[in-house]
Amino acid sequence: MRSLTVIGNWKMNGSFATNGTLFSEFAQEKWFSGQRHSRFGLCVPYPYLSQAQSALAGSGIGVGAQDVSDHAYGAYTGDVSATMLHDFACQYVIVGHSERRQYHHESDELIARKAKAALLAQVTPIVCVGETEAQRDAGQTTLVVRKQLQAVLDLLQG
């Protein structure tokens, strides 16, 4: 039987107080831990990783981050390495989200390096792919998605 992975992205929302209520509601929902062929996770902003880990422990819901650096360590102020995420027991990290591609001008190659860094630190990367509305309207969906995926596959196979 195939497995299913469902990940929720918290975006840049929440506060310590409101998160506490939501995390508690998720943690009390026994349905998550009762699914044999499914994995569930929440990717939260960095400041709330510890809160999420504590609140969701034993719930069947894994915790992840919303981005990762492609660098293992060094003078990259504000970046968070995959090994740091692993230290926080993060199971997942999102790379290549459309907002990161658009607003931070992240290239397919950078996203591939981030995915590789996560894998090396034993954190599962969630690689997001997709076209813009203009690319879709121009009939370029397959070309764009193939290019995005190929960058990741080339780096991982190389």
Side-chain angles (χ1 to χ4, degrees):
M1 172 175 240
R2 290 185 177 186
S3 65
L4 171 71
T5 302
V6 178
I7 303 294
N9 182 6
W10 218 251
K11 304 274 185 168
M12 194 176 75
N13 293 304
S15 68
F16 195 79
T18 60
N19 291 347
T21 301
L22 289 170
F23 292 151
S24 177
E25 289 174 7
F26 278 120
Q28 292 174 18
E29 180 60 60
K30 300 300 179 201
W31 184 84
F32 291 108
S33 59
Q35 302 300 310
R36 289 186 22 205
H37 299 289
S38 302
R39 296 185 304 170
F40 302 93
L42 289 177
C43 290
V44 302
Y46 295 128
Y48 303 126
L49 285 173
S50 181
Q51 181 188 22
Q53 289 287 4
S54 295
L56 298 173
S59 70
I61 302 171
V63 174
Q66 297 174 327
D67 191 31
V68 66
S69 177
D70 62 322
H71 301 285
Y73 58 89
Y76 302 99
T77 302
D79 282 7
V80 176
S81 73
T83 54
M84 291 174 175
L85 296 179
H86 186 263
D87 283 348
F88 258 84
C90 281
Q91 293 174 268
Y92 310 102
V93 64
I94 299 171
V95 298
H97 195 283
S98 61
E99 294 156 1
R100 300 288 308 177
R101 290 177 188 270
Q102 179 182 359
Y103 303 134
H104 297 275
H105 309 286
E106 292 190 357
S107 68
D108 298 336
E109 292 73 23
L110 173 59
I111 291 158
R113 291 193 309 269
K114 289 181 174 194
K116 184 174 183 177
L119 286 170
L120 290 172
Q122 300 175 345
V123 177
T124 301
I126 300 159
V127 180
C128 300
V129 297
E131 78 286 8
T132 64
E133 183 177 3
Q135 291 166 329
R136 182 174 45 251
D137 291 346
Q140 298 175 330
T141 299
T142 301
L143 178 70
V144 169
V145 171
R146 182 178 287 136
K147 181 180 176 288
Q148 291 171 351
L149 285 173
Q150 196 62 55
V152 176
L153 294 174
D154 288 348
L155 185 65
L156 295 180
Q157 294 171 353

